[in-house]
Amino acid sequence: MTTTLIWIAVALVAIGLYLSWTAGRLDRLHARIDAARAALDAQLLRRASVAQELATSGVLDPAASIVLYEAAHAARQAEQEQREIAESELSQALRAVFGEAPQVEAVREAPGGEEAARELTEAVRRVPMARRFHNDAVRAARALRRHRKVRWFRLAGHAPFPMAFEMDDEPPAALVDRAA
């Protein structure tokens, strides 16, 4: 009888340790999502800021400046629910303005244009990477949260279900081709 109680206690301790380890893992995944989201927000803000700065610098033609400025402004001011759409529209505006190499070369030839084009190129190349890191963390957390043990024992607590950030982040071909 005593041996049976000892084995039951050992099994309960082992199960408790396993559940505690799983809850800790889930907590670390949620922290990773928060850090990846902060990095993504920073890269999106950087891209919008550089685009807005370039639009107001006078190196672009007036129509391109207006298109780029409005898209960048909308991306910076978008509410959380509309952020993906606004960022996608900024990507489309960047592709429209910098879709061809002559436009990029005209920007590079203007005073201060080389630096502005380099900053924009770096910004548009970092956004897809930041989004990929964020979505990978979301995917891992979702996979763990789908397990029965996590649902049955409510190991996720009150943490909201993680959502991926889906947007059009394809960079302008002329910027990427020139940088590569």
Side-chain angles (χ1 to χ4, degrees):
M1 179 72 172
T2 306
T3 310
T4 307
L5 289 177
I6 292 173
W7 282 111
I8 290 173
V10 167
L12 287 176
V13 166
I15 290 170
L17 286 173
Y18 177 71
L19 291 175
S20 175
W21 175 80
T22 303
R25 181 171 166 229
L26 189 58
D27 185 54
R28 287 188 301 276
L29 283 171
H30 282 278
R32 190 172 128 203
I33 289 171
D34 291 342
R37 182 57 185 240
L40 175 62
D41 286 342
Q43 292 304 323
L44 291 171
L45 182 62
R46 181 172 184 249
R47 180 181 76 152
S49 297
V50 170
Q52 204 168 22
E53 183 179 314
L54 191 60
T56 58
S57 68
V59 298
L60 296 173
D61 64 90
S65 291
I66 291 171
V67 167
L68 195 57
Y69 181 83
E70 286 181 355
H73 182 72
R76 290 183 73 180
Q77 300 297 318
E79 295 293 326
Q80 198 60 38
E81 304 84 42
Q82 300 298 317
R83 184 96 188 264
E84 294 173 353
I85 295 168
E87 294 294 345
S88 294
E89 288 173 354
L90 177 56
S91 294
Q92 293 166 2
L94 285 167
R95 281 196 308 271
V97 171
F98 297 106
E100 298 177 9
Q103 181 69 17
V104 176
E105 291 306 317
V107 169
R108 290 185 190 278
E109 291 168 3
E114 185 69 37
E115 178 69 20
R118 185 186 58 74
E119 282 185 49
L120 184 62
T121 300
E122 288 176 6
V124 299
R125 292 178 86 190
R126 288 181 179 163
V127 167
M129 288 187 293
R131 191 175 72 86
R132 197 171 312 123
F133 289 139
H134 175 266
N135 287 349
D136 286 346
V138 167
R139 201 171 302 116
R142 282 179 161 186
L144 185 58
R145 286 182 69 151
R146 282 191 197 105
H147 290 161
R148 272 185 243 136
K149 65 181 177 264
V150 173
R151 290 192 321 262
W152 287 351
F153 293 102
R154 300 177 195 260
L155 299 181
H158 297 289
F161 196 73
M163 301 301 290
F165 194 87
E166 297 300 333
M167 64 171 269
D168 173 9
D169 61 3
E170 184 181 337
L175 280 177
V176 176
D177 291 345
R178 175 78 158 71

